Amino acid sequence: EARESPRLVKRMLGGESIALISDAGTPLLSDPGARLVAAALDADVRVIPIPGASALLSALVASGISADQFTFLGFLPRKGGERESMLRVVARSPFTVVLYESPQRVSATLADLIDAGCGDRAMALARELTKRFEEVRRGTIQSIHDGTMGGLRGEVVLVIAGAVERAPSESEARETV
């Protein structure tokens, strides 16, 4: 993408039209295309989006979880402090959170969310959206984790309900005074 973007922008400046098509989703939503779009815009080339399949939006709609306000985080970092930081963002978010995840890491990610205190949160696990083997599983993070201990294939989207603010318990309230 880095190598081809300048060449493609040059062609567009020469009057050609270029279509950016992804074979597995919408360009720029955790798919390639950001460099080309940025280069085109920097060269004052008009960018016209054409709506197509989007796992993010399809999963959000099919989840049954509030879509009034949501945060898309793409793929979580695989490990380390960055991952822990993003898990805290998910745990604290009052908004619905949408994540992409590899089928090989779904179980570990759900376990990490449970460890972060999110086990009772509503969620949907959507896979292979807009494809032949499309599936959406709905429940709590804990129940979906318990039912997905392997065998997942294809693109996976996790839609997680936002955290509900709760009143502090008596002991928590005394600790803050």
Side-chain angles (χ1 to χ4, degrees), residues 50-70:
I50 301 172
S54 167
L56 158 69
L57 293 176
S58 296
L60 196 56
V61 169
S63 74
I65 295 173
S66 174
D68 291 342
Q69 295 179 317
F70 67 92

Side-chain angles (χ1 to χ4, degrees), residues 62-158:
S63 74
I65 295 173
S66 174
D68 291 342
Q69 295 179 317
F70 67 92
T71 301
F72 173 62
L73 299 177
F75 287 93
L76 291 177
R78 292 182 185 200
K79 55 187 169 184
E82 281 185 71
R83 181 176 177 85
E84 290 174 19
S85 176
M86 291 307 289
L87 288 165
R88 283 192 298 275
V89 167
V90 174
R92 293 178 182 153
S93 177
F95 309 118
T96 297
V97 174
V98 182
L99 305 171
Y100 285 169
E101 191 53 274
S102 150
Q104 295 80 17
R105 290 192 302 269
V106 167
S107 183
T109 295
L110 295 178
D112 288 345
L113 289 166
I114 291 166
D115 289 346
C118 301
D120 61 346
R121 298 252 291 273
M123 75 160 294
L125 181 152
R127 65 176 201 87
E128 290 297 280
L129 293 173
T130 74
K131 298 176 185 168
R132 183 175 177 203
F133 297 105
E134 176 176 297
E135 175 186 21
V136 179
R137 300 178 189 180
R138 296 170 193 84
T140 64
I141 292 174
Q142 183 70 58
S143 69
I144 291 176
H145 175 267
D146 294 347
T148 58
M149 296 309 292
L152 285 180
R153 291 185 174 184
E155 302 293 324
V156 177
V157 182
L158 305 176

